[in-house]
């Protein structure tokens, strides 16, 4: 029984190779699926079924053989199994008995268990009900709290409460009725809050726009105070430098720095804006609020940029500009504190729009202005606006460029105003020397413009060499410089001294000089007026250096830089030319007056038979007039001008004497007439010598004299009085004694000289000369001059 049959290796009849493969696969436990699938694919199902049946038969044979081989073991196993079955029956009987007893005992416990389970179910339901009630109570309490906040206008707590309900309770509310009511009212509450917050924000928009003007004015006021402090400090520094340059003291600088927190000074409330922005953020519509804010503020800005047509710009510009300043100060703080409500690009866009509009408005308004004062007032406020907004980071260069472009218009108006003022000064001037009774008058009219002749304080009353026109005109010029600097300061260019100098030259040349020249050439000008104007011009010329230094000081540049000769004003040269024109006008007036006195053809008896050792009466008047003119000129004119006036007047007298001899009304004259004119000329020469020395001109003009201005008349009288007038034709003698005489004039005059041989010429002859020798010599001269001509 223990032996095992050997495995059959012989292939039985009918076995094929395919059967062998199939048997091998089944024996190895391989999957027959691929083989079956292949049979289906090639359409050979019946052979496969036949092979499978063949394999089954083979396996049945193997099982049968196996059973035959081990049948004894099966019999033993069956016997043992029957024994086990008997034991199982006994065990089953015991189990039935034990089960009966257990059923009897467990019936009561089962009843109790069912009661316990029922109690647990009730407890669970009650607990669930309590939990649901608690949730409902919490939700209702939050709703009540929400209603209270709404009634109190505390919208942020409302939104926090609503958000809590939505996030933690809404989906967990067990009662559908409550859940529906709460879910329905949440959007209504949010819409109500949005409406209320928007209403409050709109009220804030109205309030902040009405407050913008006050905000802007306050900020501009602080900028003005800061500018004033800076100017005072610069003025103190300038005075200290002047004292140091003068050796009066050491430089001491004090720097006072005052830190000003603009946010603490400019108090305006952004709380409603921040609250609205935050609440809209809680509502999830921040972007919508940003657009709403930007749109409404842009509308306000466009409205603020419109000029009122019911009020002149000079009356409304402060309100207009302060409103703009306040607007952008608010926007700056919103940008810094609102956490993204505004972007820097949006603010920059609004500012660029404003700059373009303001520049356009200013250009148009400036073109209509006809007052320099109005232009200056607007300019000052614009520069303060620029200084204010520059602190907040805004670029104001484009606005200031409008001021720079309007500087010619401003100075044209300013020059016209100064022209009227200077014309009024000259028309109201008495052209009399100013009398100053006290030192304060001297300070205000002389020292203030550096017009002093000496550094020594004069005794009072002091008579100045100029009239009131000089200090009054200097005040107008000084005011012009101040106004020009005021307009050009705080503009685009910080170094504007050259511009001020250009306009200062224009004022002195085109205005002051023209008005003075107009006055000089006016018909009603008298000698005293012309003389005083000439003196005044010399002092105005001296004041040019003061004007230049004053302009430099106001422009903040070192005074030493304008004290170089090449830095002087062109007007100084022009005024010098005008001064010469004034001297010429004065001389013409003096000569005209002298012509009235020297009506020689009427005052002299050209054919008198009587000899006279006295001079003519008219010469006394001439000398008195010249003495008055030269005395006055000595007081107010410089010595070179005094010399010009004196020499010009005396030369005119000399020419008048020669012209009298040449006059057609004088047909004939004799030696007596020559003697009288000789006496007149000697009196005039003595006066000329005395005045030339007493005025100090002899110390300056050592090679000249007033007497030399009478040389032509003197040489003519000497020739007519000479015992040998024919010597005139001797080149040596003529060059020595008669070089100022003209051949033609001498010929014409000698033709008129008629006298008897034993008459007058006898008395004029030398002691050893024959009575008719002078007449013969004169005849020879006449003949030779006639031949020469």
């Amino acid at each position: 029984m223990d032996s095992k049959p050997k495995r059959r290796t012989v292939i039985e009849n009918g076995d094929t190779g395919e059967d062998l493969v199939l048997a091998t696969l089944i024996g190895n436990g391989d999957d027959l699926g691929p083989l079956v699938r292949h049979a289906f694919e090639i359409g050979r199902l019946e052979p496969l079924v036949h092979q499978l049946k063949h394999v089954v038969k083979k396996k049945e044979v193997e099982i049968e053989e196996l059973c035959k081989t081990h049948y004894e073991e099966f019999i033993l196993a069956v016997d043992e199994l029957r024994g086990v079955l008997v034991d199982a029956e006994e065990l089953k009987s015991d189990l039935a008995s034990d089960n009966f007893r257990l059923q009897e005992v467990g019936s009561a416990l089962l009843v109790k268990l069912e009661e316990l389970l029922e109690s647990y179910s009730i407890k669970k339901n009650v607990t669930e009900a309590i939990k649901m009630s608690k949730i409902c109570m919490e939700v209702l309490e939050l709703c009540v709290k929400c209603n209270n906040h709404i009634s109190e206008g505390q919208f942020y707590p409302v939104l926090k409460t609503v958000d809590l309900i939505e996030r933690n309770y809404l989906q967990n509310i067990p009662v559908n009725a409550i859940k529906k009511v709460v879910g329905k009212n949440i959007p209504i509450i949010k819409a109500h809050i949005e409406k209320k917050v928007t209403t409050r924000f709109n009220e804030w928009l109205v309030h902040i726009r009405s407050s913008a003007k006050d905000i802007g004015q306050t900020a501009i006021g602080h900028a003005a105070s800061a500018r004033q402090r800076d100017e005072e400090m610069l003025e103190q520094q300038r005075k200290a430098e002047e004292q140091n340059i003068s050796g009066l003291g050491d430089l001491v600088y004090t720097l006072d720095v005052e830190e000003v927190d603009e946010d603490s000074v400019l108090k305006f409330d952004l709380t409603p804006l921040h609250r609205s922005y935050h609440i809209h953020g809680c509502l999830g519509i921040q972007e919508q609020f940003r657009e709403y804010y930007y749109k409404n503020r842009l509308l306000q800005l466009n409205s603020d940029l419109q000029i009122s047509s019911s009020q002149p710009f000079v009356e409304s510009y402060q309100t207009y500009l302060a409103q703009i300043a306040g607007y952008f100060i608010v926007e700056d703080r919103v940008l810094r504190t609102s956490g993204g409500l505004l972007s820097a690009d949006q603010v920059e866009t609004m500012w660029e729009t404003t700059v373009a509009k303001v520049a356009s408005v200013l250009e148009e308004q400036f073109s209509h202005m006809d007052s320099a004062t109005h232009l200056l007032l607007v300019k000052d406020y614009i520069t303060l606006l620029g200084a204010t907004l520059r602190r907040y980071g805004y670029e104001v260069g484009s606005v200031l460029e409008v001021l720079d472009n309007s500087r010619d218009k401003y100075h044209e108006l300013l020059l016209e105003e100064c022209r009227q003022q200077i014309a009024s000064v000259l028309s109201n001037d008495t052209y009399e020397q100013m009398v100053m009774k006290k030192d304060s008058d001297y300070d205000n009219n002389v020292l203030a413009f550096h017009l002093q002749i000496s550094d020594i304080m004069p005794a009072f009353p002091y008579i100045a060499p100029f009239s009131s026109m000089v200090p009054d005109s200097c005040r107008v010029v000084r005011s012009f410089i101040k106004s020009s600097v005021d307009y050009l300061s705080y503009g685009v260019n910080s170094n504007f001294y050259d511009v001020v100098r250009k306009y200062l030259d224009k004022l002195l040349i085109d205005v002051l000089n023209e008005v003075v020249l107009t006055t000089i050439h006016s018909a009603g000008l008298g000698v005293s007026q012309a003389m005083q104007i000439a003196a005044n011009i010399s002092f105005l010329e001296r004041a040019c250096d003061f004007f230049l230094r004053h302009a430099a000081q106001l422009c903040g540049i070192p005074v030493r830089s304008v004290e170089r000769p090449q830095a002087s004003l062109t007007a100084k040269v022009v005024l010098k030319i005008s001064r010469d024109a004034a001297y010429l006008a004065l001389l013409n007036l003096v000569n005209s007056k002298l012509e009235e006195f020297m009506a020689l053809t009427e005052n002299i008896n050209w054919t008198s038979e009587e000899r006279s050792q006295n001079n003519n009466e008219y010469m006394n008047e001439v000398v008195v007039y010249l003495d008055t003119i030269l005395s006055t000129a000595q007081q107010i004119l410089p010595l070179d001008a005094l010399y010009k006036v004196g020499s010009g007047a005396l030369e005119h007298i000399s020419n008048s004497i020669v012209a009298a001899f040449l006059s057609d009304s004088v047909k004939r004259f004799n030696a007596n007439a020559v003697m009288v004119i000789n006496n007149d000329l000697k009196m005039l020469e003595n006066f000329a010598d005395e005045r030339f020395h007493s005025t100090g001109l002899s110390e300056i003009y050592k090679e000249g004299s007033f007497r030399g201005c009478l040389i032509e008349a003197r040489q003519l009288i000497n020739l007519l009085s000479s015992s040998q007038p024919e010597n005139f034709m001797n080149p040596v003698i003529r060059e020595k004694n008669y070089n100022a005489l003209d051949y033609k004039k001498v010929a014409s005059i000698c033709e008129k000289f008629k006298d008897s041989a034993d008459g007058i010429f006898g008395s004029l002859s030398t002691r050893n000369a024959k009575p008719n020798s002078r007449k013969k010599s004169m005849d020879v001269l006449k003949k030779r001059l006639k031949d020469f001509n």
Side-chain angles (χ1 to χ4, degrees):
M1 293 178 62
D2 295 334
S3 60
K4 295 184 180 179
K6 294 183 180 180
R7 188 171 183 178
R8 297 166 61 185
T9 59
V10 180
I11 301 176
E12 298 180 356
N13 293 332
D15 289 348
T16 63
E18 293 178 354
D19 294 338
L20 183 60
V21 172
L22 185 62
T24 302
L25 290 175
I26 294 173
N28 294 335
D30 293 335
D31 186 13
L32 299 180
L35 185 62
V36 175
R37 187 180 302 107
H38 179 68
F40 273 95
E41 288 176 354
I42 63 177
R44 295 185 61 187
L45 295 178
E46 291 181 1
L48 177 62
V49 173
H50 176 73
Q51 290 173 3
L52 288 174
K53 289 180 179 181
H54 181 71
V55 170
V56 169
K57 287 180 181 181
K58 288 174 65 179
K59 291 298 181 181
E60 288 177 351
V61 171
E62 289 178 1
I63 292 172
E64 183 179 352
E65 290 179 356
L66 183 62
C67 288
K68 289 178 179 181
T69 303
H70 299 285
Y71 71 96
E72 292 178 356
E73 285 84 351
F74 283 122
I75 293 172
L76 292 175
V78 170
D79 290 340
E80 290 176 359
L81 184 60
R82 286 180 179 178
V84 172
L85 182 61
V86 174
D87 294 337
E89 288 294 333
E90 290 177 358
L91 181 60
K92 181 178 178 182
S93 176
D94 292 339
L95 287 174
S97 175
D98 291 339
N99 181 59
F100 178 76
R101 290 194 299 270
L102 182 62
Q103 289 293 330
E104 289 179 348
V105 175
S107 297
L109 293 175
L110 186 59
V111 173
K112 295 294 184 182
L113 179 59
E114 290 177 352
E115 292 176 356
L116 180 61
L117 292 175
E118 185 178 358
S119 298
Y120 274 121
S121 177
I122 294 171
K123 179 183 178 182
K124 180 181 178 182
N125 292 335
V126 171
T127 302
E128 188 69 23
I130 292 173
K131 182 179 179 181
M132 293 170 60
S133 300
K134 186 177 181 180
I135 292 174
C136 292
M137 287 294 295
E138 290 177 355
V139 171
L140 293 175
E141 287 176 358
L142 289 174
C143 291
V144 172
K145 186 178 180 181
C146 185
N147 287 334
N148 292 334
H149 288 318
I150 291 175
S151 62
E152 294 171 0
Q154 299 178 356
F155 299 126
Y156 179 68
V158 173
L159 290 177
K160 295 295 288 184
T161 304
V162 169
D163 181 65
L164 181 63
I165 293 173
E166 283 186 306
R167 187 175 62 253
N168 297 337
Y169 292 98
L170 186 60
Q171 299 302 324
N172 300 323
I173 296 176
V175 182
N176 288 332
I178 297 177
K179 184 176 182 179
K180 290 181 180 180
V181 171
V182 172
K184 178 181 178 181
N185 282 279
I186 284 177
I188 297 175
I189 291 172
K190 289 183 177 180
H192 173 76
I193 292 174
E194 181 184 355
K195 181 179 179 181
K196 286 291 185 181
V197 169
T198 302
T199 301
R200 291 185 180 181
F201 170 70
N202 290 337
E203 292 173 355
W204 177 84
L205 280 176
V206 175
H207 169 72
I208 202 66
R209 184 188 182 192
S210 62
S211 303
K213 181 186 71 173
D214 296 333
I215 295 170
Q217 287 176 341
T218 302
I220 292 174
H222 287 295
S225 299
R227 177 180 293 183
Q228 184 176 0
R229 288 193 300 270
D230 293 341
E231 290 176 350
E232 290 174 353
M233 184 180 68
L234 291 174
E235 180 66 18
Q236 292 175 359
Q237 179 181 346
R238 183 182 63 80
K239 290 181 179 179
E241 290 175 349
E242 289 179 352
Q243 291 178 356
N244 184 66
I245 293 172
S246 303
L248 299 177
D250 296 330
L251 283 176
V252 178
Y253 295 99
T254 301
L255 180 61
D256 295 328
V257 180
E258 182 178 352
E259 294 290 342
V260 179
D261 184 4
E262 293 290 342
D263 288 348
S264 64
V265 173
L266 301 174
K267 296 181 179 179
F268 52 91
D269 189 13
L270 295 181
T271 302
L273 172 64
H274 294 155
R275 183 182 294 119
S276 298
Y277 182 54
H278 184 63
I279 290 176
H280 278 81
C282 294
L283 291 171
I285 51 175
Q286 267 191 340
E287 185 61 32
Q288 176 182 329
F289 184 76
R290 290 192 195 100
E291 295 177 358
Y292 183 78
Y293 174 83
Y294 182 67
K295 177 182 177 182
N296 281 274
R297 287 295 281 166
L298 200 58
L299 289 173
Q300 288 185 342
L301 177 61
N302 291 331
S303 178
D304 292 339
L305 291 175
Q306 301 304 315
I307 291 293
S308 174
S309 58
S310 61
Q311 193 176 16
F313 186 71
V314 293
E315 297 178 6
S316 62
Y317 72 92
Q318 290 189 359
T319 302
Y320 176 72
L321 297 175
Q323 183 75 22
I324 294 173
Y327 179 93
F328 282 99
I329 290 172
V330 171
E331 293 308 290
D332 173 74
R333 190 174 297 183
V334 170
L335 178 64
R336 290 186 289 112
T337 62
S338 63
L341 173 59
L342 264 182
S343 68
D345 291 339
Q346 287 176 322
V347 177
E348 185 65 22
T349 300
M350 290 190 293
W351 175 242
E352 290 176 355
T353 302
T354 301
V355 167
K357 178 62 176 179
V358 170
S360 174
V361 169
L362 292 178
E363 288 176 354
E364 180 181 359
Q365 295 299 325
F366 282 175
S367 66
H368 297 154
M369 286 187 182
D370 56 1
S371 170
T373 303
H374 292 164
L375 261 173
L376 182 59
L377 289 174
V378 176
K379 174 264 169 189
D380 283 340
Y381 209 78
I382 291 172
T383 56
L384 289 174
L385 169 72
T388 300
L389 293 181
R390 193 181 286 115
R391 293 183 178 183
Y392 295 91
Y394 295 103
E395 177 56 45
V396 297
S398 299
V399 178
L400 298 181
E401 285 178 359
V402 178
L403 303 178
D404 193 57
N405 295 336
S406 301
R407 72 185 186 189
D408 288 338
K409 169 69 178 294
Y410 170 77
H411 283 90
E412 287 175 5
L413 295 174
L414 189 61
L415 287 170
E416 185 58 34
E417 291 179 2
C418 290
R419 183 187 299 276
Q420 296 175 3
Q421 295 172 7
I422 292 175
S424 176
V425 166
L426 267 67
S427 63
N428 295 327
D429 191 13
T430 59
Y431 298 102
E432 296 177 357
Q433 294 174 255
M434 287 188 71
V435 179
M436 303 175 194
K437 298 181 180 180
K438 50 188 178 180
D439 55 356
S440 61
D441 295 338
Y442 187 79
D443 292 340
N444 294 331
N445 295 295
V446 180
L447 296 180
F449 308 108
H450 297 186
L451 300 176
Q452 64 272 22
I453 301 174
S454 172
D455 293 335
I456 301 174
M457 182 67 73
F460 295 98
Y462 168 71
I463 300 177
F466 50 80
S467 68
S468 61
M469 160 198 161
V470 174
D472 289 345
S473 297
C474 288
R475 289 187 187 93
V476 174
V477 176
R478 183 175 62 184
S479 174
F480 174 87
I481 296 172
K482 178 67 167 58
S483 298
S484 179
V485 171
D486 287 344
Y487 188 87
L488 295 173
S489 57
Y490 305 106
V492 176
N493 300 317
S494 58
N495 185 10
F496 49 86
Y497 167 73
D498 291 337
V499 180
V500 175
R501 176 180 169 180
K502 181 187 75 172
Y503 287 116
L504 175 58
D505 251 337
K506 190 174 182 63
L507 169 71
L508 296 175
I509 296 173
D510 295 346
V511 177
L512 178 61
N513 185 65
E514 283 189 6
V515 173
V516 171
L517 286 177
T518 301
T519 305
I520 290 172
H521 297 136
S522 61
L525 190 68
V527 174
S528 61
Q529 293 174 325
M531 185 180 298
Q532 190 62 66
I533 289 175
N536 290 346
I537 293 176
S538 64
F539 282 95
L540 290 174
E541 182 184 347
R542 177 183 300 180
C544 286
D545 294 333
F546 161 76
F547 297 146
L548 206 57
R549 288 194 298 271
H550 185 62
Q553 290 174 350
L554 293 181
C555 293
I557 67 171
V559 176
R560 61 181 177 274
S561 64
V562 301
E563 291 179 343
R564 298 188 298 269
Q566 61 269 25
S568 62
L569 290 168
T570 306
K572 197 170 183 179
V573 178
V574 176
L575 286 173
K576 185 175 182 180
I577 296 173
S578 297
R579 183 186 62 180
D580 294 338
Y583 293 155
L584 181 61
L586 170 61
L587 188 58
N588 290 334
L589 291 172
V590 170
N591 292 341
S592 298
K593 189 65 177 177
L594 288 174
E595 289 176 358
E596 296 179 8
F597 292 126
M598 294 189 62
L600 298 184
T601 56
E602 300 177 2
N603 296 329
I604 297 177
N605 185 357
W606 294 96
T607 58
S608 174
E609 297 294 335
E610 298 179 0
R611 298 176 184 177
S612 175
Q613 299 297 326
N614 299 322
N615 55 281
N616 288 305
E617 184 63 29
Y618 78 90
M619 186 54 64
N620 294 327
E621 296 179 357
V622 169
V623 170
V624 170
Y625 179 71
L626 287 177
D627 181 65
T628 302
I629 292 298
L630 293 178
S631 297
T632 304
Q634 184 179 358
Q635 295 178 5
I636 64 176
L637 293 180
L639 290 179
D640 61 335
L642 175 64
Y643 180 77
K644 289 180 180 179
V645 173
S647 59
L650 292 172
E651 186 175 350
H652 183 72
I653 292 174
S654 175
N655 294 335
S656 298
I657 293 174
V658 175
F661 281 101
L662 293 170
S663 175
D664 293 338
S665 61
V666 177
K667 304 297 184 182
R668 179 173 176 268
F669 64 90
N670 58 23
N672 290 336
V674 174
M675 183 179 294
V676 173
I677 293 178
N678 184 45
N679 294 335
D680 294 341
L681 191 58
K682 286 180 179 179
M683 180 181 179
L684 195 60
E685 288 172 337
N686 292 333
F687 169 78
D689 289 339
E690 188 276 329
R691 296 303 293 178
F692 189 73
H693 291 285
S694 64
T695 55
L697 291 173
S698 59
E699 299 295 329
I700 301 175
Y701 300 95
K702 295 183 178 181
E703 297 182 359
S705 65
F706 281 161
R707 177 187 285 267
C709 300
L710 299 169
I711 187 66
E712 185 179 11
R714 168 48 59 199
Q715 290 182 1
L716 178 62
I717 297 300
N718 288 344
L719 176 63
L720 295 177
S721 303
S722 173
S723 60
Q724 294 181 329
E726 63 181 305
N727 289 339
F728 177 77
M729 301 305 296
N730 186 321
V732 177
I733 296 176
R734 184 174 66 251
E735 181 64 27
K736 179 179 179 182
N737 298 327
Y738 307 113
N739 60 339
L741 296 179
D742 179 71
Y743 277 99
K744 293 183 179 181
K745 290 182 181 180
V746 171
S748 299
I749 293 172
C750 288
E751 286 296 329
K752 296 181 181 182
F753 187 79
K754 306 291 184 182
D755 213 346
S756 58
D758 56 349
I760 300 174
F761 284 110
S763 63
L764 297 175
S765 63
T766 59
R767 182 179 301 176
N768 297 323
K770 295 182 180 181
N772 61 349
S773 61
R774 188 174 297 127
K775 184 176 183 300
K776 291 181 179 180
S777 179
M778 179 61 70
D779 292 338
V780 172
L781 175 61
K782 291 178 182 180
K783 183 177 183 303
R784 294 183 64 180
L785 286 173
K786 188 175 182 181
D787 295 340
F788 179 82
N789 290 333

